[in-house]
Amino acid sequence: MKRRIQIDPRTKLLLTVTINIITVSAPQNGWFLYILPILWGIPAILLLLYQKYKIASYYLILLVSVTTFQYTVAPYIHGVLFFLSLGIISISLRLLPGIMMGYFLLSTTSISELVAALEKLHMPRGFIISLSVMFRFFPTLNYEYIYIQQAMAFRGLTGFSMLLHPVKAMEYRLIPLMVSASKIGNELTMASLTRGLSAPNKRTNVSQLQFYLQDFLLITTCIVVWLIFIWEVFL
């Protein structure tokens, strides 16, 4: 299905860095009372525009639920429950937007587009190789995890039986996953080097990157947010 909007990978990288750092570091007062909700909403809007409705709806429901809980129930809780709820609220509002932005970057950017974007940003060759391997690593490891779960089901270690045999469940899941992770990392690194990613001469790329109006709007938003953050925190 054709996308309704195109966003340059460089813009996605800038948004990911901005949202992760600002949502974690910025104080929840002053200008950031208005800026933080905007940053929380950007991943949801982008996911909806790229037609990832399921994950966007989960994110919005969780975000609205946590925000509502923060201003309605949390002020009346005391003791251990207060600190527990404070931790849940902090994790959800501080870390979740950055995680969702990272998911958006990973799920909507091909390796070719990522490499082209990093090369245009004149990133070091070693950094490009490492990041391209990482982008391939996690999806491949996810498939391996699914296969391990299927193998555990054949052994009868599913659902309630995993609670009865926690050591076996840990052994049959963790050890194969660690071996697969090591093997996948080596294979992906060799594949990248075989394709000439470490070659000293300039490489061609089929991905044609271009900034659109939405890219300029998002980049301007990031610049304004960073200027306010520097003014509020450091000046």
Side-chain angles (χ1 to χ4, degrees), residues 45-64:
I45 295 172
L46 295 178
L47 288 168
L48 290 172
L49 290 175
Y50 273 70
Q51 301 176 352
K52 296 184 177 294
Y53 302 120
K54 186 176 181 179
I55 188 69
S57 60
Y58 288 159
Y59 171 62
L60 284 173
I61 291 172
L62 182 58
L63 197 64
V64 172

Side-chain angles (χ1 to χ4, degrees), residues 37 40-41 44 58-68 92-93 96-97:
W40 297 341
Y58 288 159
Y59 171 62
L60 284 173
I61 291 172
L62 182 58
L63 197 64
V64 172
S65 301
V66 170
T67 305
T68 304
S92 300
L93 298 182
L96 189 60

Side-chain angles (χ1 to χ4, degrees), residues 23-107:
T23 54
V24 171
S25 306
Q28 290 188 347
N29 54 46
W31 284 97
F32 288 100
L33 286 174
Y34 309 99
I35 293 174
L36 287 176
I38 295 174
L39 296 181
W40 297 341
I42 287 177
I45 295 172
L46 295 178
L47 288 168
L48 290 172
L49 290 175
Y50 273 70
Q51 301 176 352
K52 296 184 177 294
Y53 302 120
K54 186 176 181 179
I55 188 69
S57 60
Y58 288 159
Y59 171 62
L60 284 173
I61 291 172
L62 182 58
L63 197 64
V64 172
S65 301
V66 170
T67 305
T68 304
F69 179 82
Q70 181 184 14
Y71 291 104
T72 57
V73 179
Y76 303 99
I77 299 177
H78 303 282
V80 178
L81 289 178
F82 172 77
F83 291 102
L84 182 61
S85 63
L86 185 64
I88 295 174
I89 292 170
S90 298
I91 291 173
S92 300
L93 298 182
R94 294 284 186 176
L95 299 181
L96 189 60
I99 294 172
M100 295 309 301
M101 195 62 221
Y103 169 81
F104 172 77
L105 173 64
L106 288 170
S107 61

Side-chain angles (χ1 to χ4, degrees), residues 196-208:
L197 195 58
S198 61
N201 53 320
K202 187 176 180 180
R203 300 170 64 251
T204 58
N205 199 306
V206 295
S207 299
Q208 299 296 323

Side-chain angles (χ1 to χ4, degrees), residues 124-231:
R125 184 69 62 180
F127 178 76
I128 295 175
I129 296 174
S130 302
L131 201 60
S132 62
V133 170
M134 186 191 72
F135 261 62
R136 289 188 178 97
F137 177 80
F138 289 106
T140 307
L141 189 64
N142 182 54
Y143 289 122
E144 290 291 330
Y145 182 74
I146 294 173
Y147 298 148
I148 291 171
Q149 283 187 314
Q150 294 174 352
M152 290 180 63
F154 284 120
R155 292 176 177 267
L157 292 173
T158 56
F160 184 71
S161 62
M162 293 179 60
L163 299 177
L164 298 177
H165 306 281
V167 177
K168 285 188 176 180
M170 181 74 69
E171 178 185 355
Y172 294 155
R173 177 175 296 182
L174 186 59
I175 294 177
L177 191 64
M178 292 174 62
V179 174
S180 297
S182 176
K183 183 179 178 182
I184 290 168
N186 292 331
E187 290 178 351
L188 291 177
T189 302
M190 290 186 290
S192 298
L193 296 176
T194 303
R195 294 179 180 180
L197 195 58
S198 61
N201 53 320
K202 187 176 180 180
R203 300 170 64 251
T204 58
N205 199 306
V206 295
S207 299
Q208 299 296 323
L209 303 184
Q210 180 182 353
F211 285 119
Y212 299 93
L213 176 61
Q214 56 269 18
D215 291 294
F216 291 109
L217 292 175
L218 291 171
I219 291 172
T220 303
T221 302
C222 290
I223 293 173
V224 171
V225 169
W226 276 109
L227 290 176
I228 296 175
F229 177 75
I230 293 172
W231 176 266

Side-chain angles (χ1 to χ4, degrees), residues 105-122:
L105 173 64
L106 288 170
S107 61
T108 60
T109 308
S110 66
I111 302 299
S112 179
E113 291 174 340
L114 176 67
V115 171
L118 293 175
E119 287 179 344
K120 283 185 175 294
L121 293 173
H122 303 287

